[in-house]
Each structure stands twice: as structure tokens, then as C-alpha cells.
Amino acid sequence: MATKRLRRRVRHLLEYLAAALIDLGWWLTGKSDRGLPPRRLRFVGAGDFRQTGQQLARLLIDVGGLRMTDRVLDVGCGIGRVAIPLTSYLDKRATYDGFDVVKRAIRWCSHAITREHPNFRFHLVDVANSEYRSRGGAAAGFCFPFADGAFDFVFATSVFTHLLAEEMRRYIAESARVLAPGGRLLATFFLLNDVSLAALPVRDVYNFPHVRGVMRLLDPENPGVGVAIEEEVAFRFLRDAGFRIERIDYGQWSGRRDFVTFQDVVVCTRM
């Protein structure tokens, strides 16, 4: 276990240094984009940062029904990949709050985004995760730092894919608590059902080979790197929290050819 943790730290350091070299090259050639975080601070996903953020923002609007005036909570906001395009969509009557466990991400977002858009606020939370933060409180007991009914729209893109079952249950319950009645939740998952389970043996990266109860993991010693969960368990968590499931769009991750985005998307209404 200790060797695995050391390897992860070395991997993260090497990734940071490689990205820092890219940043230096961009700076020397005048290609740096001041509207985006430097490459060395980007720790979420692959692909084009701006394009992916815009696609996720469109997902919230077109699939989730996000309105320009909503009070919005971004669960696991990362380095602002979705917040940046939302600054061009949400109007001044709206509010956006995002929280994350990565200090450097919250620091950059608060400096670069809130300064220009004061209705966008970012919060650092003290929660442990095997992939992103070694120290902190247990996610299974975490209370979102917001009042009951404070939001109209909550979204969690690629968050429940990094949480164990009891942590997921807690975050779903907290999402319901901070939503006003009639508010909406858009969340993405890796859902295990007949179709995705049949595809797992032939998948390359997202094959989730390790079974742990109702979950399958990419790495049992670092579960936060990727979690898939039985579909009916995830749906039960949502129903138990007071959500009505309105829409399910299965993702590309399990080999489907008809998809909206990479992960499975679930849209719910707070009853």
C-alpha cells in the first residue's frame, strides 16, 4: 500500500513537471490563454479543456434544463472547467457556488474567475479522497457547507465516478438537502447494468476488473481513481434522498454507439 501511494505521488509529480514544461513553451511562444488555467493545474480529464467545458455546459442546459437565473451548485468544481463557460450563460441574477478538495484549483478559480464575476464563488472543503487528497474528513460523513434549499440546480459531473457507495449515498442526500423543492440534479455515473457488464471484458481502460460489493473498481488500492456502481443501487440512493428520476442517457464509456456524452447521465427533480 505504501509503495502504491509513493508511486502515485511520483506519477503526479512527473505529470506536473511535464505540464509545467508545456506551460513554459506556451509562454515563450505567446500561446498562453489567460482565460484558462495553466496546464500544470489541470487535473481533470483529457482532451481539449475549453471544448470539454463548453460541451459539459451545453449538457447542463440542453439535457438538465439549467436556466440563466438559477442558483447553481457545482459539486467537485475542479479547476473551473465548467464554471468558465457558465460565466457567459448565467446572468447577474444567478449565483454559482463550486467546491472541491484541491486547494490549488480553488485558489486559481477564486483569483481568475471570481474577480471578474463576483456571483461565482469557490470553496475549499476538507474531505479525503484516495486519488485527489490524502488527508481530510470522511466523504461518507461530509455536510455540504450550504443551507437547506439554497439552490435551484446542482450538478456533479465525474464526481460519483470517484466515490465509494456510502460516499455516493451521502453526496446524493446532501444534494437533495441543499436543493429547493422542484430543483434539479444532473449527475454522471458509471452504471453497471446488463449492457455495461457485458461490455466490460472487452473494454481497455474502463474495464473495472475488481468487484467490491455493489461496485467495481479500477484499482482497489486507489478506489478514488474510478468507481462503477450497480444501476439499481444508484437509483435507490436517488429515490431514498427524495429525487424523482426524469431522464437517463447512457454514455460512451461502455461501448454504446448512441450516447450524449462519455459517462452515464441521470437528471432528477427534488420532490
Side-chain angles (χ1 to χ4, degrees), residues 18 39 87 89 157 162 173 216 255:
R39 184 65 184 82
T87 60
Y89 177 74
T157 53
H162 299 283
R216 295 181 70 109

Side-chain angles (χ1 to χ4, degrees), residues 59-73:
L59 181 74
L60 303 181
I61 298 164
D62 297 339
V63 175
L66 176 65
R67 299 170 300 205
M68 298 174 67
T69 57
D70 277 343
R71 300 170 297 166
V72 179
L73 175 62

Side-chain angles (χ1 to χ4, degrees), residues 16-162:
Y16 180 89
L17 293 174
L21 288 175
I22 295 174
D23 287 334
L24 178 60
W26 286 349
W27 181 76
L28 290 173
T29 57
K31 295 181 180 179
S32 298
D33 187 336
R34 293 186 178 182
L36 298 181
R39 184 65 184 82
R40 64 186 180 277
L41 297 184
R42 302 178 196 176
F43 58 93
V44 288
D48 184 276
F49 185 89
R50 187 185 294 278
Q51 183 181 55
T52 301
Q54 291 171 340
Q55 290 171 346
L56 289 171
R58 290 310 317 176
L59 181 74
L60 303 181
I61 298 164
D62 297 339
V63 175
L66 176 65
R67 299 170 300 205
M68 298 174 67
T69 57
D70 277 343
R71 300 170 297 166
V72 179
L73 175 62
D74 184 351
V75 178
C77 62
I79 194 70
R81 185 170 60 177
V82 184
I84 291 169
L86 287 183
T87 60
S88 300
Y89 177 74
L90 296 176
D91 70 20
K92 293 183 179 179
R93 293 170 292 172
T95 61
Y96 166 102
D97 286 273
F99 70 78
D100 205 277
V101 301
V102 180
K103 185 175 183 179
R104 66 181 183 275
I106 296 301
R107 184 188 301 119
W108 185 88
C109 289
S110 297
H111 176 75
I113 300 176
T114 304
R115 184 173 57 179
E116 299 294 330
H117 305 276
N119 58 329
F120 279 66
R121 302 175 291 257
F122 299 89
H123 313 265
L124 179 67
V125 296
D126 184 27
V127 179
N129 179 274
S130 65
E131 176 67 6
Y132 296 110
R133 184 185 176 99
S134 60
R135 299 178 180 178
F142 175 55
C143 293
F144 291 2
F146 307 101
D148 296 0
F151 299 99
D152 306 305
F153 193 97
V154 173
F155 69 94
T157 53
S158 197
V159 174
F160 297 138
T161 54
H162 299 283

